[in-house]
Amino acid sequence: MISIITKTCNKASDGSEEEIAALKLKRWFEHELSAYPEANGVIYLLNSIRMFGQKRDDIDILAIGFFENLTLENIWTKNHNVVDKLEIQSFISNIELKSTPHDRIDIVGNDYYYRYSRNALPSCLSAQCKEAKFSLVNYLQDELRLNAHVCDILWFDNINETQLSAKRSQADNALPASFTFRRFIETLLLQTDAYCKNNGDYYINTFGKGKNRIDEVIDLFTKVRVPLGLTKQKFE
């Protein structure tokens, strides 16, 4: 069985778009992963994260997963093309949530831009997403001395598949308002290599070093900072 745990890391964000989006992901993923009864593991969906001291100090949604016996079939990988079976061992990804109308989104080169008003200069959403990813990498290294191959997702939760496909000419890290767990993994596979075991089986394991330290990782993002010191919020 695969458990999915959600947590809002900033009490001021209760009921926020980020929290609602994380709960939506939980429902989607639970439904799809119920078709893999032999698989075990856990997915953490943390939302409204603050990372003090970083250039970009907030993360909309952080997705972390660890699995055993979770295999996807006939799936494309960037370094082995399509493989018959791919074992998903772990992942870690920043998810940048954007509730933007599709008619104000433009693509220049490989980057997404948003015009906040008709006369305003466009803002690069892709750059914002990458900046959050690298701040997350730095934060884990600075605070825990933990290296992570972080992927990044740009989630347009107000743009459907048809609208998104009409804007781009190739697959990238953007996802439409609705997507599956498999589509999520396929998007991560654009950013990370699959590896081959001695027996010929393929796998991805982008956060393997985090498995034995997951309590520290969760604690890092859920602890509450108060003037007289630190108190800690735990998962119930």
Side-chain angles (χ1 to χ4, degrees):
M1 178 180 178
I2 296 174
S3 301
I4 302 179
I5 301 171
T6 62
K7 181 71 176 179
T8 298
C9 299
N10 182 352
K11 280 296 182 182
S13 296
D14 286 347
S16 66
E17 289 184 359
E18 292 81 6
E19 182 182 62
I20 292 170
L23 291 172
K24 190 185 300 183
L25 283 182
K26 174 182 168 71
R27 292 194 300 271
W28 293 346
F29 288 1
E30 281 180 338
H31 175 74
E32 186 173 352
L33 291 171
S34 65
Y36 298 86
E38 73 285 356
N40 293 297
V42 59
I43 297 174
Y44 299 93
L45 298 172
L46 310 181
N47 72 84
S48 306
I49 285 174
R50 293 295 304 277
M51 301 180 296
F52 296 92
Q54 297 301 312
K55 181 178 180 180
R56 168 72 183 272
D57 66 357
D58 67 294
I59 295 288
D60 293 337
I61 301 174
L62 174 61
I64 301 174
F66 302 104
F67 311 95
E68 295 177 356
N69 301 321
L70 177 60
T71 300
L72 301 183
E73 298 182 351
N74 299 317
I75 192 164
W76 182 90
T77 66
K78 74 185 184 76
N79 58 326
H80 294 289
N81 294 315
V82 176
V83 298
D84 292 336
K85 295 182 179 181
L86 180 71
E87 182 184 358
I88 314 301
Q89 295 184 2
S90 73
F91 63 73
I92 178 170
S93 180
N94 159 57
I95 301 177
E96 183 89 358
L97 184 66
K98 295 298 181 184
S99 301
T100 51
H102 75 93
D103 59 349
R104 290 191 180 178
I105 297 292
D106 296 311
I107 295 182
V108 179
N110 296 320
D111 293 332
Y112 289 85
Y113 286 81
Y114 174 61
R115 290 172 281 113
Y116 288 92
S117 66
R118 294 189 182 278
N119 297 323
L121 292 175
S123 177
C124 185
L125 304 181
S126 297
Q128 294 174 15
C129 189
K130 289 184 177 70
E131 186 174 73
K133 174 178 73 171
F134 290 121
S135 288
L136 177 57
V137 170
N138 291 337
Y139 195 59
L140 289 170
Q141 178 58 234
D142 292 347
E143 298 293 327
L144 300 178
R145 297 294 183 265
L146 183 59
N147 295 322
H149 182 93
V150 178
C151 298
D152 59 327
I153 299 288
L154 190 55
W155 181 10
F156 292 110
D157 73 340
N158 202 32
I159 299 178
N160 62 40
E161 178 70 57
T162 300
Q163 292 166 335
L164 184 59
S165 296
K167 291 183 178 294
R168 60 185 179 185
S169 59
Q170 61 184 7
D172 54 29
N173 71 327
L175 287 173
S178 178
F179 57 89
T180 63
F181 177 78
R182 182 186 175 95
R183 177 74 176 277
F184 174 77
I185 293 296
E186 288 173 339
T187 305
L188 300 186
L189 286 168
L190 295 171
Q191 307 171 51
T192 187
D193 288 337
Y195 295 93
C196 187
K197 301 178 182 179
N198 291 334
N199 63 2
D201 291 341
Y202 295 93
Y203 69 97
I204 60 167
N205 189 23
T206 68
F207 198 39
K209 293 182 179 179
K211 185 172 185 179
N212 294 329
R213 301 182 63 187
I214 189 59
D215 289 342
E216 295 176 72
V217 174
I218 299 303
D219 195 53
L220 174 65
F221 294 119
T222 58
K223 65 188 177 185
V224 177
R225 294 178 182 260
V226 295
L228 297 179
L230 299 176
T231 60
K232 299 179 179 179
Q233 284 181 313
K234 299 288 188 179
F235 285 110
E236 295 182 356

